Amino acid sequence: MVLMIALILADPDKDFDREIRWALKDNKDISVRAFATKLNQIEALVKEHAPCVLLIGPGWKEKPIADLAKDIREKTNTTIILSVNGSKPCNQKKAISADKPAIDFLTFPTQTDELISAIQRAYEILRETPASTGDKGKILTIFSTKGGVGKTVIATNLAVSLARDHGTSVVLLDLDLQFGDVGVMLKLNPEHTIYDAACVGENLDIEVLNGFLTSHDSGVRALLAPLQPELADLVSSKSVQQILNALRKSFDYIVVDTPPSFNDHVLTVLDETNQICLVATMDIPTLKNIKLCLQTLKLLGCPQEITKLIINRADDRIGLNLAEVEKALGIRVSACIPTDKKVPLSVSRGVPVVLDSPQAPFSKSLNRLKELFRSLNKMSDKRAPKKRPIRREAIA
Ligand SMILES: Nc1ncnc2c1ncn2[C@@H]1O[C@H](COP(=O)(O)OP(=O)(O)O)[C@@H](O)[C@H]1O
Ligand SMILES: [Mg+2]
């Protein structure tokens, strides 16, 4: 497999982009992914494409670009090459402390071979340095032991809603491996799926995995379920574990859509998840199922504080009210999502409601749900992480 070096360019002058692309036109290992002409575009582009090499042109004011370079280096898995204008004396080197090995300098204009070797050097640093942010990504698992309650609708819209916030990188992982429909709901035509990632084996890292993600216009990247259900069995829990490890290093949020059962893949994710969005509807069979699901989560050793009960289609009440539901289940309802006719319409069109109809009641409640998870994650950041291996034997 050829490893592509993802390169992001940044300079106020469009000629910089033209010159670099021209210089790299015959190089098959380096792929220019994006070009930023404004300072406030750079961080979001880097986050979207990380791990990547960022080549900053010589056209910026020194202080703001040096501050941004330091900030990006601290927050993302990126190496940075700062181009220094050869015809002007320059203090950029001084502006960035020397103890940042992931920042390199290139005198501009430059020869093609110097440019390529600087990019390759930067890429080597990227491969050798563990992600500066460590396991920064938060895993949000959308789960229910019942099918048809709205897990996939919520997972896709929540991922898109998170990605619309400036500078937030989001990956959506479809773990409903046999019948996953994240791809359909986002109208994506994947070239690769989780099956390709699972075939890589031990060497799976984020650079390789990046090639298997499918991009949605909203900025969400998705690792989709295999196109044939029989391939699902070939994806091992170990692969799922490796995938999660890799994604956590590069994305702020990993939203996981799941099948309606406690299978091995789901247990692997539950072991790592930061929050569980447990989806129920207000009918007796679902609530009976959710009660069993909550008992199973307890047996597995999942802390109750990470489980948030979300009632979808909350207005379709069938003789029950929320207080009765909370009492019967022994858990508070964290959020309610209304039935909205825009949802089935958006599912058929393959456009998430939060994009298509941002003012629809469903979209508003999804944005509130997003805020809830953001604030829960901020709170849990302040607490020491707990080690809580899932007790698989509890349901064996
Ligand atoms: N809040 C809602 N309002 C209207 N229809 C909904 C709502 N949530 C889900 N649906 C409908 O229910 C169907 C099943 O949802 P889906 O997300 O596929 O369920 P699951 O993933 O739990 O099997 C969707 O196709 C959608 O049309
Ligand atoms: Mg589903």
Side-chain angles (χ1 to χ4, degrees), residues 160-189:
V160 169
S161 176
L162 281 162
R164 293 187 81 193
D165 291 347
H166 182 70
T168 304
S169 55
V170 183
V171 64
L172 181 54
L173 172 59
D174 192 352
L175 270 196
D176 189 353
L177 296 186
Q178 279 193 307
F179 302 108
D181 30 34
V182 166
V184 177
M185 288 206 194
L186 294 180
K187 211 160 65 185
L188 296 172
N189 283 321

Side-chain angles (χ1 to χ4, degrees), residues 233-347:
D233 287 346
L234 304 175
V235 179
S236 68
S237 309
K238 194 164 172 222
S239 300
V240 172
Q241 179 71 61
Q242 285 170 332
I243 289 167
L244 286 174
N245 290 347
L247 294 177
R248 276 196 128 162
K249 293 194 174 110
S250 274
F251 290 90
D252 296 317
Y253 283 93
I254 300 109
V255 178
V256 187
D257 189 23
T258 57
S261 64
F262 282 102
N263 67 19
D264 259 355
H265 301 123
V266 169
L267 293 182
T268 304
V269 172
L270 289 180
D271 204 5
E272 305 268 335
T273 199
N274 295 84
Q275 301 291 338
I276 303 171
C277 171
L278 186 62
V279 186
T281 45
M282 294 280 271
D283 55 286
I284 298 290
T286 301
L287 294 173
K288 182 220 84 186
N289 244 286
I290 292 290
K291 180 138 185 124
L292 290 174
C293 177
L294 285 163
Q295 286 165 357
T296 310
L297 287 170
K298 197 169 171 193
L299 285 174
L300 288 167
C302 247
Q304 217 194 352
E305 70 263 22
I306 68 164
T307 305
K308 301 293 162 215
L309 179 63
I310 311 300
I311 306 287
N312 188 21
R313 318 194 70 150
D315 39 354
D316 296 356
R317 286 187 196 149
I318 310 149
L320 288 169
N321 65 38
L322 284 180
E324 285 164 338
V325 169
E326 290 182 333
K327 192 159 172 240
L329 297 178
I331 182 173
R332 261 195 60 227
V333 171
S334 292
C336 287
I337 301 172
T339 297
D340 190 330
K341 58 181 185 317
K342 299 270 184 201
V343 176
L345 286 175
S346 92
V347 169

